[in-house]
Amino acid sequence: MSCSFILKTAWRDARPSWRRLLLTSASIILGVAALVAVGSFGQNVQQALDMQARGLLGADLEVSARGAPTPEVEQALAALGGEQARETAFASMLVFSGDKTGVPDRTRLVTVRAIAGAYPFYGDFITEPTDARSALGADDAVILEETLLRQFGVAVGDSVRLGQKTFRIAGALRQVPGESAAVALLSPRVLVGRAALEGAGLLGPGSLARYKTYFKFAEGVDVEAMMTEKGPRLRELRLGFDTVAERREELGNALDNMTSFLALSGFVALFLGAIGVASSLQVYLRAKRATVAVLRCLGASGRTAFLVFVVQAGVLGVAGSVLGAVLGVGLQRLLPRVLGDFLPVNVAVSIAWPEVAAGLIVGIGLTLLFALLPLLGVRRVSPLAALRTAVLDTGTGRDGWRWVVLAGIAVALTGFAIWQTGSVRIGAGFAGGLLAGLGVLAGLALLVMWAARKISTRALPYVWRQGIANLHRPNNRTTLLLLALGAGTALLLTLALTRSTLIGQLRGVGADGRPDLLFFDVQDDQVAGLHEVLAGQGTPVIAEAPIVTMRLESMKGRRVEEWLKQKGSTVPGWTLRREYRSTYRDRLSDTEKLIAGEWISSVKADADVVPVSVEQGLAKDLQIGLGDELVFDVQGVSVRTRVASLREVEWRRMSPNFFVVFPTGVLEAAPKFHVLAARSADAAASARTQQAVVAAYPNVSVIDLSLVIATLDRIFGKAELAVRFMALFTLVTGVVVLGGAVVAGRGQRLREIVLLRTLGASSRQLAGIQLVEYAVLGALAAVTGSLLAVGANVALAVWVFDTEPASPWAGVLVAVPAVALLSLVTGAWAGRGVVRQPPLAVLRQAGE
């Protein structure tokens, strides 16, 4: 047969059923829309990164150090040339006076950014009023994060206190170059002139401050080439540096990961939509069995009949994908609002045609692959079927092409996942997890159908017996509904449970009498007084540790500079360059466990080699073991050590934890500061304690666990909202698939219903049967989806977050009735009017 015949036959055959076919194509619209929206948005973000690259860093080059620049460092910085600006960043307590409102003073941990010079050279701090930046030249002006003004009810012109000095609020900070709004949630930023810090008493010896120098070079200077030449010298001085290209790449990679994850969530919706297409075509082809048989009688080959319906499926894929692409272009405009808090740049929305084309190709290709599964059976319809009433042979495992198609689906799924994630391991893991989850849902569906067939329901009312029997009768929707709604339920509930697990983990850190307040930057002469203040507030000190700053000088007999220069070294550079803040004590703390070697509590001050204990993760990164030698530069004094033991540290606990612990007898005379952990009775006592400490010792900063939990909960909430936005595509696709499946099987159900009407069933009973069927199916979908979510949450908690999983029952109790109701409403709407068909219709062979 000619191509013209195939196209004409496909068109003529589809005309009477175009509405049903259009509904079938609706199953893939949302999936393609999600892919196009996320893909185009990702391209918009990359374009914004390219256009605003310099504004991401605010300079051509950033050089950072853990300590104040030494003369040697200053010389190296001067050798770089260009215009310079300096910044000192550190954590401190900001005090809001209660005089204006009549309430006690309130405190908040903030990140102070003390700036000297014209930084940012590119971009700007966005403030209200817009000229607030110029006020930082004054000796008493600060600019506060806008959220602080709202949270504490203060306004421009009011006073706040940093350390021992009172400042005037000159403006509200809305945006910082290269930083997203989510960064400010954990520690709001405060801008101040560097010279204005004089007299505040905030930067004492050992203060945890970071010193940055920003550079602006003349046009035409190749910064990347310059850092290739001068970068090694900066690394020798333990300085970190960041160029515009590096910052763009870092942010680009992070945002690529985010958009890839969202695209994978959309692909799940497309995957389920393709399953819906296959299911609807299965029902459609049963009705077309006589048409195929007639074509065979007229001389058409099985291949020709097969191609007729392939053309129809291809048109379905094109129509659904085009509509999905159009919808995706519209949805693209919503994503900057949903994800705006996590974006470091302003994104201009524009259509990314390559991403639109990619969405169309994926949508059409996946639709055709899944459509081939029911279409393969058309090849084996015999001309004699025109005289038979047997059901269309859909093809079993005896058809080798079915296995080829299934393999193609698996390859397509895995290939897409690898393409999106850029990792074979992660992509294959996602594809395997998705297929495994769908396999579990399909297996449970088979189990449900078997149970509905085997378990006696004679004791139940007639309506319930018929509704449950529909779970296993021909044209049942059990498998399809469990796949569609079950997967959507699993995704949404997994997000909620994972968030509860993470927040529960944080709350557990401060439970059972554990510390919930951490005081740091405590100087030697302030320890005794701080103990008295805390005792006076009824806040006992639970843990205390002195901290001595040091750097690694050599390892295993080789200087750090040699390790840093070694090509192919797998030792992370940060472990060699970082400033270590170590402690000394004679016993293990309750957050540590010895896993190897011998704990040595004390040594003599004149010991040639000092035995130390190293945290196991750091030892793995440094590739060292028991007996290896480490030489530390303790503020100008070389101290030889050997690894005597390895410890496992519970970093989640709010307690002084350290990478390296020395025995007593060695570091006592070294310059140091202290950190204390305490436990407050309640939130009111915590607030009073913080106010008393800041009043007595302005340089001391406090981390409040309850505030950390509340802040992280808001961050998780924002992130969950973004992911939930995509996961909803899966759930809504499931509803569309369900509606399409019900409508596609309307003809078969119509014959069953009019037959029951002929046998005397009332319209009320028929409606009840449908309600029972869809209520049971919805509940089963919710239960199976919830079980998958519970399993995923347990797996994430145990293998990823290393914590106890959150109790899932609250989420399950909400999900089960909600999804059951959703299924009930969708099924009732799609099947509306069927129960009112007259019994005479059975004699007229009603429906298709």
Side-chain angles (χ1 to χ4, degrees):
M1 296 288 180
S2 67
C3 180
S4 175
F5 172 81
I6 293 173
L7 293 176
K8 288 180 180 179
T9 304
W11 165 247
R12 290 169 180 168
D13 180 73
R15 277 188 302 178
S17 307
W18 68 270
R19 292 182 179 177
R20 178 187 298 181
L21 293 173
L22 186 61
L23 181 60
T24 298
S25 70
S27 300
I28 64 171
I29 290 176
L30 289 177
V32 174
L35 289 182
V36 170
V38 173
S40 296
F41 174 71
Q43 286 298 310
N44 292 165
V45 171
Q46 291 300 326
Q47 291 171 3
L49 288 174
D50 292 336
M51 296 176 62
Q52 305 171 43
R54 282 184 168 180
L56 295 174
L57 191 62
D60 293 318
L61 175 67
E62 173 194 302
V63 179
S64 60
R66 292 283 185 179
T70 63
E72 191 177 15
V73 169
E74 290 286 6
Q75 184 179 2
L77 294 176
L80 293 174
E83 182 182 352
Q84 296 185 17
R86 297 292 178 94
E87 175 184 307
T88 304
F90 57 93
S92 184
M93 302 300 292
L94 184 66
V95 181
F96 296 85
S97 174
D99 295 340
K100 180 180 177 181
T101 58
V103 299
D105 289 352
R106 293 161 295 166
T107 59
R108 181 68 162 94
L109 182 68
V110 296
T111 296
V112 179
R113 298 184 64 174
I115 300 170
Y119 178 81
F121 297 116
Y122 309 104
D124 201 359
F125 294 113
I126 298 179
T127 61
E128 178 61 38
T130 55
D131 60 348
R133 173 70 171 83
S134 61
L136 292 186
D139 187 56
D140 64 342
V142 293
I143 299 176
L144 303 188
E145 194 84 46
E146 189 175 35
T147 55
L148 288 174
L149 275 69
R150 292 197 300 265
Q151 181 181 357
F152 290 92
V154 294
V156 173
D158 290 343
S159 297
V160 293
R161 194 169 75 249
L162 271 173
Q164 300 170 351
K165 191 171 180 178
T166 300
F167 292 84
R168 174 182 54 85
I169 301 175
L173 180 64
R174 290 184 171 177
Q175 187 173 336
V176 174
E179 292 186 10
S180 64
V183 173
L185 289 176
L186 195 58
S187 182
R189 296 155 293 197
V190 173
L191 302 184
V192 63
R194 204 158 178 243
L197 285 182
E198 296 295 332
L202 292 172
L203 293 175
S207 295
L208 302 177
R210 193 170 187 88
Y211 298 81
K212 296 182 179 180
T213 304
Y214 298 99
F215 294 83
K216 179 183 179 182
F217 300 105
E219 289 294 332
V221 173
D222 189 339
V223 180
E224 298 297 325
M226 180 176 67
M227 296 315 297
T228 300
E229 176 187 350
K230 298 184 177 182
R233 174 55 181 162
L234 297 182
R235 292 192 181 96
E236 288 179 10
L237 295 173
R238 314 295 179 92
L239 300 175
F241 59 86
D242 212 357
T243 65
V244 171
E246 289 172 343
R247 178 63 61 86
R248 186 208 169 283
E249 183 178 359
E250 291 166 2
L251 291 174
N253 289 338
L255 293 173
D256 281 347
N257 291 337
M258 177 183 69
T259 54
S260 293
F261 176 76
L262 295 178
L264 289 175
S265 299
F267 184 70
V268 174
L270 178 59
F271 191 80
L272 291 176
I275 293 175
V277 169
S279 176
S280 297
L281 282 177
Q282 179 76 19
V283 177
Y284 175 74
L285 290 173
R286 285 195 181 102
K288 293 296 181 180
R289 175 179 175 274
T291 301
V292 176
V294 170
L295 284 174
R296 296 300 309 277
C297 290
L298 295 175
S301 65
R303 178 176 174 273
T304 299
F306 169 73
L307 290 176
V308 166
F309 291 101
V310 167
V311 169
Q312 292 183 2
V315 172
L316 286 181
V318 171
S321 298
V322 169
L323 290 174
V326 172
L327 178 60
V329 170
L331 288 173
Q332 175 189 353
R333 300 183 178 275
L334 294 177
L335 288 177
R337 299 181 183 180
V338 176
L339 302 171
D341 288 336
F342 300 95
L343 299 177
V345 291
N346 295 318
V347 178
V349 176
S350 62
I351 300 175
W353 293 110
E355 296 299 326
V356 173
L360 289 171
I361 292 171
V362 173
I364 295 171
L366 201 62
T367 301
L368 282 175
L369 273 175
F370 273 86
L372 286 175
L373 290 173
L375 289 174
L376 288 173
V378 173
R379 296 157 37 244
R380 297 202 304 271
V381 174
S382 168
L384 290 177
L387 305 176
R388 295 175 179 172
T389 58
V391 178
L392 173 67
D393 180 9
T394 59
T396 63
R398 292 172 295 178
D399 188 346
W401 282 106
R402 283 181 60 84
W403 296 106
V404 173
V405 172
L406 289 172
I409 292 173
V411 170
L413 172 61
T414 306
F416 180 86
I418 293 173
W419 172 46
Q420 283 295 323
T421 61
S423 166
V424 174
R425 181 179 62 85
I426 297 176
F430 171 84
L434 178 59
L435 291 173
L438 293 176
V440 169
L441 287 170
L444 287 174
L446 293 175
L447 180 62
V448 167
M449 289 187 286
W450 176 86
R453 184 182 301 109
K454 295 296 183 182
I455 296 176
S456 175
T457 58
R458 292 180 181 177
L460 296 177
Y462 171 77
V463 169
W464 280 88
R465 292 201 308 271
Q466 291 295 324
I468 293 175
N470 281 347
L471 297 177
H472 65 82
R473 284 174 178 162
N475 300 295
N476 69 77
R477 303 288 171 259
T478 303
T479 301
L480 182 63
L481 185 88
L482 288 178
L483 287 174
L485 292 187
T489 304
L491 283 176
L492 290 172
L493 190 55
T494 297
L495 293 176
L497 291 178
T498 301
R499 178 183 178 184
S500 298
T501 294
L502 293 175
I503 296 301
Q505 177 186 18
L506 290 172
R507 292 197 174 100
V509 170
D512 303 327
R514 297 173 181 174
D516 63 351
L517 293 174
L518 194 65
F519 303 88
F520 55 96
D521 271 0
V522 183
Q523 303 303 309
D524 244 348
D525 58 354
Q526 296 175 330
V527 175
L530 184 57
H531 272 273
E532 292 179 6
V533 172
L534 295 177
Q537 296 295 323
T539 304
V541 174
I542 296 177
E544 176 186 346
I547 297 178
V548 179
T549 59
M550 59 188 68
R551 293 185 180 277
L552 191 59
E553 186 177 296
S554 69
M555 180 176 69
K556 298 181 181 179
R558 296 176 59 192
R559 294 189 61 81
V560 165
E561 291 75 15
E562 296 179 37
W563 285 99
L564 290 171
K565 291 178 181 178
Q566 179 179 324
K567 294 183 179 180
S569 174
T570 56
V571 177
W574 69 267
T575 62
L576 300 169
R577 291 192 299 266
R578 66 166 289 135
E579 182 179 68
Y580 286 89
R581 293 179 169 89
S582 305
T583 192
Y584 55 87
R585 57 170 177 259
D586 59 3
R587 64 177 63 87
L588 288 167
S589 70
D590 59 357
T591 62
E592 300 172 320
K593 182 173 68 174
L594 196 68
I595 60 173
E598 176 188 5
W599 175 266
I600 298 177
S601 59
S602 64
V603 296
K604 294 181 179 180
D606 58 354
D608 292 333
V609 180
V610 179
V612 296
S613 181
V614 179
E615 189 267 338
Q616 62 170 347
L618 177 65
K620 182 179 180 180
D621 286 335
L622 287 173
Q623 300 174 19
I624 58 176
L626 297 177
D628 284 337
E629 181 186 87
L630 302 173
V631 178
F632 287 97
D633 178 356
V634 183
Q635 301 169 47
V637 178
S638 295
V639 178
R640 292 181 60 200
T641 70
R642 66 173 178 85
V643 181
S645 63
L646 299 177
R647 292 167 295 118
E648 180 182 326
V649 178
E650 189 178 351
W651 294 104
R652 296 190 305 270
R653 293 270 294 276
M654 181 172 279
S655 186
N657 292 315
F658 301 90
F659 282 121
V660 182
V661 177
F662 283 70
T664 60
V666 180
L667 299 179
E668 281 80 354
K672 57 185 175 295
F673 61 99
H674 298 256
V675 59
L676 283 74
R679 175 74 184 182
S680 59
D682 51 40
S686 175
R688 289 194 303 270
T689 299
Q690 293 180 59
Q691 293 160 12
V693 169
V694 174
Y697 303 105
N699 65 292
V700 174
S701 299
V702 188
I703 295 178
D704 183 347
L705 179 61
S706 62
L707 182 60
V708 171
I709 292 174
T711 303
L712 290 178
D713 195 16
R714 289 199 297 272
I715 294 174
F716 291 152
K718 290 177 178 292
E720 185 184 12
L721 175 64
V723 179
R724 186 187 293 148
F725 179 77
M726 298 305 302
L728 279 173
F729 278 87
T730 303
L731 187 60
V732 175
T733 299
V735 173
V736 173
V737 170
L738 170 62
V742 173
V743 173
R746 187 184 181 95
Q748 178 64 32
R749 284 301 170 89
L750 180 61
R751 286 189 287 272
E752 295 173 0
I753 287 173
V754 296
L755 180 60
L756 290 174
R757 289 290 304 275
T758 302
L759 296 175
S762 66
S763 296
R764 184 176 181 180
Q765 286 177 316
L766 295 175
I769 291 171
Q770 286 194 91
L771 292 178
V772 168
E773 177 184 2
Y774 290 114
V776 172
L777 281 174
L780 288 171
V783 169
T784 51
S786 298
L787 289 175
L788 282 176
V790 171
N793 181 51
V794 170
L796 289 171
V798 173
W799 290 316
V800 177
F801 304 119
D802 190 23
T803 187
E804 291 292 326
S807 173
W809 307 121
V812 171
L813 290 176
V814 172
V816 171
V819 177
L821 180 62
L822 184 64
S823 170
L824 188 63
V825 172
T826 304
W829 177 84
R832 67 192 186 284
V834 175
V835 298
R836 295 193 297 271
Q837 293 294 323
L840 187 61
V842 74
L843 302 177
R844 297 175 177 172
Q845 298 295 315
E848 297 182 5

